[in-house]
Amino acid sequence: MTTVSVKVNGKAVSSEVEDRTLLVQLLRENLRLTGTHVGCDTSQCGACVVHVDGRAVKSCTLLAVQADGAEIVTIEGLAVNGELHPMQAAFHENHGLQCGFCTPGMIMTAVDMVYRLGNDIDEKTVRHELEGNLCRCTGYHNIVKAIRDGAQRMTP
Protein backbone atom coordinates (compact mmCIF):
# COMPACT_ATOMS: atom_id res chain seq x y z
CA MET A 1 0.00 0.00 0.00
CA THR A 2 1.09 3.51 -0.81
CA THR A 3 -0.10 6.81 0.66
CA VAL A 4 -1.26 9.24 -1.99
CA SER A 5 -1.62 12.90 -1.02
CA VAL A 6 -3.54 15.18 -3.37
CA LYS A 7 -5.58 18.35 -3.25
CA VAL A 8 -9.11 17.60 -4.46
CA ASN A 9 -11.52 20.45 -5.05
CA GLY A 10 -9.35 22.68 -2.89
CA LYS A 11 -9.08 20.26 0.03
CA ALA A 12 -5.88 18.38 0.93
CA VAL A 13 -6.51 14.64 1.32
CA SER A 14 -4.41 11.52 1.79
CA SER A 15 -5.42 7.95 1.18
CA GLU A 16 -3.81 4.52 1.31
CA VAL A 17 -4.08 2.77 -2.06
CA GLU A 18 -2.71 -0.28 -3.79
CA ASP A 19 -0.17 0.64 -6.46
CA ARG A 20 -2.57 -0.52 -9.21
CA THR A 21 -5.43 1.75 -8.06
CA LEU A 22 -6.67 4.08 -10.77
CA LEU A 23 -7.31 7.75 -10.03
CA VAL A 24 -11.02 7.24 -10.81
CA GLN A 25 -11.13 4.52 -8.14
CA LEU A 26 -9.44 6.76 -5.60
CA LEU A 27 -11.98 9.51 -6.30
CA ARG A 28 -15.06 7.30 -6.29
CA GLU A 29 -14.25 4.58 -3.77
CA ASN A 30 -11.87 6.20 -1.30
CA LEU A 31 -13.06 9.82 -1.42
CA ARG A 32 -16.72 9.12 -2.31
CA LEU A 33 -16.74 11.69 -5.13
CA THR A 34 -19.10 9.74 -7.35
CA GLY A 35 -19.77 12.44 -9.93
CA THR A 36 -16.80 11.11 -11.87
CA HIS A 37 -18.17 8.11 -13.75
CA VAL A 38 -16.66 4.91 -15.11
CA GLY A 39 -18.29 4.21 -18.44
CA CYS A 40 -16.05 1.91 -20.41
CA ASP A 41 -12.85 0.86 -18.58
CA THR A 42 -10.94 1.38 -21.86
CA SER A 43 -10.51 5.19 -21.91
CA GLN A 44 -12.88 5.51 -24.86
CA CYS A 45 -15.90 7.31 -23.39
CA GLY A 46 -14.62 10.28 -21.36
CA ALA A 47 -17.16 9.89 -18.55
CA CYS A 48 -14.26 9.94 -16.07
CA VAL A 49 -12.66 13.26 -17.12
CA VAL A 50 -11.32 15.39 -14.27
CA HIS A 51 -8.77 18.19 -14.18
CA VAL A 52 -5.32 17.29 -12.92
CA ASP A 53 -3.04 20.28 -12.41
CA GLY A 54 -5.30 22.32 -14.68
CA ARG A 55 -5.55 19.85 -17.58
CA ALA A 56 -8.41 17.54 -18.56
CA VAL A 57 -7.42 13.92 -17.94
CA LYS A 58 -9.32 10.66 -18.24
CA SER A 59 -8.99 9.46 -14.67
CA CYS A 60 -9.28 5.82 -15.74
CA THR A 61 -5.91 6.17 -17.52
CA LEU A 62 -3.92 7.48 -14.58
CA LEU A 63 -2.77 5.54 -11.55
CA ALA A 64 -3.56 7.23 -8.26
CA VAL A 65 0.14 7.09 -7.30
CA GLN A 66 0.96 9.06 -10.47
CA ALA A 67 -1.29 11.85 -9.21
CA ASP A 68 0.51 12.11 -5.86
CA GLY A 69 1.01 15.80 -5.08
CA ALA A 70 -1.38 16.93 -7.83
CA GLU A 71 -4.27 19.34 -7.64
CA ILE A 72 -7.47 17.70 -8.87
CA VAL A 73 -10.83 19.24 -9.70
CA THR A 74 -13.86 17.01 -10.15
CA ILE A 75 -17.37 17.89 -11.27
CA GLU A 76 -18.24 18.38 -7.59
CA GLY A 77 -15.61 21.12 -7.38
CA LEU A 78 -16.97 23.33 -10.16
CA ALA A 79 -19.96 24.81 -8.35
CA VAL A 80 -19.14 27.56 -5.85
CA ASN A 81 -21.28 28.21 -2.77
CA GLY A 82 -24.15 26.21 -4.26
CA GLU A 83 -24.12 28.19 -7.50
CA LEU A 84 -23.57 26.21 -10.69
CA HIS A 85 -20.46 26.86 -12.74
CA PRO A 86 -21.38 28.72 -15.96
CA MET A 87 -20.80 25.55 -18.01
CA GLN A 88 -23.01 23.50 -15.69
CA ALA A 89 -25.74 26.14 -15.96
CA ALA A 90 -25.43 26.17 -19.75
CA PHE A 91 -25.83 22.38 -19.91
CA HIS A 92 -28.94 22.64 -17.73
CA GLU A 93 -30.51 25.52 -19.64
CA ASN A 94 -29.71 24.15 -23.13
CA HIS A 95 -30.80 20.58 -22.32
CA GLY A 96 -27.27 19.33 -22.99
CA LEU A 97 -27.98 16.02 -21.33
CA GLN A 98 -30.43 13.20 -21.46
CA CYS A 99 -29.66 10.41 -19.01
CA GLY A 100 -26.80 12.47 -17.54
CA PHE A 101 -24.22 9.69 -17.29
CA CYS A 102 -21.72 11.33 -19.67
CA THR A 103 -22.48 14.87 -18.50
CA PRO A 104 -19.77 15.26 -15.82
CA GLY A 105 -17.05 14.23 -18.29
CA MET A 106 -18.54 16.42 -21.02
CA ILE A 107 -18.61 19.44 -18.71
CA MET A 108 -15.06 18.89 -17.45
CA THR A 109 -13.85 18.53 -21.05
CA ALA A 110 -15.78 21.66 -22.05
CA VAL A 111 -14.30 23.75 -19.24
CA ASP A 112 -10.80 22.62 -20.24
CA MET A 113 -11.63 23.47 -23.86
CA VAL A 114 -12.50 27.04 -22.91
CA TYR A 115 -9.37 27.41 -20.77
CA ARG A 116 -7.21 26.28 -23.70
CA LEU A 117 -9.05 27.81 -26.66
CA GLY A 118 -10.91 30.82 -25.27
CA ASN A 119 -14.57 31.84 -25.33
CA ASP A 120 -15.20 32.04 -29.06
CA ILE A 121 -15.38 28.36 -30.01
CA ASP A 122 -17.12 27.41 -33.24
CA GLU A 123 -19.23 24.28 -33.67
CA LYS A 124 -16.60 22.44 -35.71
CA THR A 125 -13.98 22.97 -33.00
CA VAL A 126 -16.33 21.85 -30.24
CA ARG A 127 -17.21 18.66 -32.13
CA HIS A 128 -13.52 17.95 -32.79
CA GLU A 129 -12.60 18.53 -29.13
CA LEU A 130 -15.37 16.15 -28.01
CA GLU A 131 -13.99 13.22 -29.99
CA GLY A 132 -12.81 11.58 -26.75
CA ASN A 133 -16.25 11.82 -25.11
CA LEU A 134 -19.17 9.57 -25.97
CA CYS A 135 -22.85 10.12 -25.36
CA ARG A 136 -25.12 7.19 -26.03
CA CYS A 137 -28.41 9.09 -25.63
CA THR A 138 -28.27 12.37 -27.55
CA GLY A 139 -27.35 13.48 -31.02
CA TYR A 140 -24.79 15.94 -29.57
CA HIS A 141 -26.65 18.98 -30.95
CA ASN A 142 -27.67 20.30 -27.52
CA ILE A 143 -24.30 19.35 -26.01
CA VAL A 144 -22.52 21.47 -28.62
CA LYS A 145 -25.04 24.27 -28.10
CA ALA A 146 -24.53 24.10 -24.32
CA ILE A 147 -20.74 24.20 -24.64
CA ARG A 148 -20.82 27.20 -26.95
CA ASP A 149 -23.22 28.99 -24.60
CA GLY A 150 -21.17 28.04 -21.53
CA ALA A 151 -18.00 29.24 -23.23
CA GLN A 152 -19.56 32.67 -23.75
CA ARG A 153 -20.47 32.81 -20.04
CA MET A 154 -16.98 31.86 -18.85
CA THR A 155 -13.91 33.98 -18.32
CA PRO A 156 -11.02 31.80 -19.56
Side-chain angles (χ1 to χ4, degrees):
M1 298 289 271
T2 302
T3 301
V4 174
S5 298
V6 291
K7 189 179 228 183
V8 181
N9 300 330
K11 180 180 173 187
V13 295
S14 291
S15 185
E16 290 274 322
V17 298
E18 292 183 30
D19 291 341
R20 66 180 183 205
T21 302
L22 297 171
L23 178 57
V24 69
Q25 293 171 303
L26 171 70
L27 295 170
R28 290 182 58 80
E29 297 168 18
N30 295 47
L31 304 179
R32 301 291 181 217
L33 295 170
T34 57
T36 302
H37 295 156
V38 179
C40 67
D41 286 329
T42 59
S43 100
Q44 299 288 318
C45 75
C48 67
V49 173
V50 298
H51 294 177
V52 177
D53 291 332
R55 303 265 341 224
V57 173
K58 291 181 179 179
S59 61
C60 74
T61 65
L62 189 67
L63 294 170
V65 294
Q66 291 175 290
D68 190 41
E71 187 163 332
I72 299 166
V73 178
T74 68
I75 192 72
E76 292 93 344
L78 287 185
V80 177
N81 297 323
E83 187 172 325
L84 293 177
H85 181 278
M87 191 63 72
Q88 290 172 307
F91 264 73
H92 174 73
E93 292 167 22
N94 289 281
H95 309 288
L97 58 105
Q98 193 162 339
C99 82
F101 192 82
C102 71
T103 306
M106 291 281 187
I107 290 172
M108 297 306 287
T109 298
V111 170
D112 177 71
M113 193 184 312
V114 175
Y115 288 157
R116 288 183 296 106
L117 304 174
N119 297 76
D120 192 24
I121 305 173
D122 63 31
E123 181 178 342
K124 182 179 178 182
T125 301
V126 170
R127 288 183 182 276
H128 174 75
E129 291 286 324
L130 285 179
E131 286 180 358
N133 294 74
L134 298 177
C135 176
R136 293 179 175 104
C137 298
T138 71
Y140 291 90
H141 176 74
N142 285 349
I143 292 171
V144 172
K145 190 167 105 178
I147 291 171
R148 294 189 69 211
D149 181 30
Q152 291 301 308
R153 299 175 189 208
M154 285 177 62
T155 304

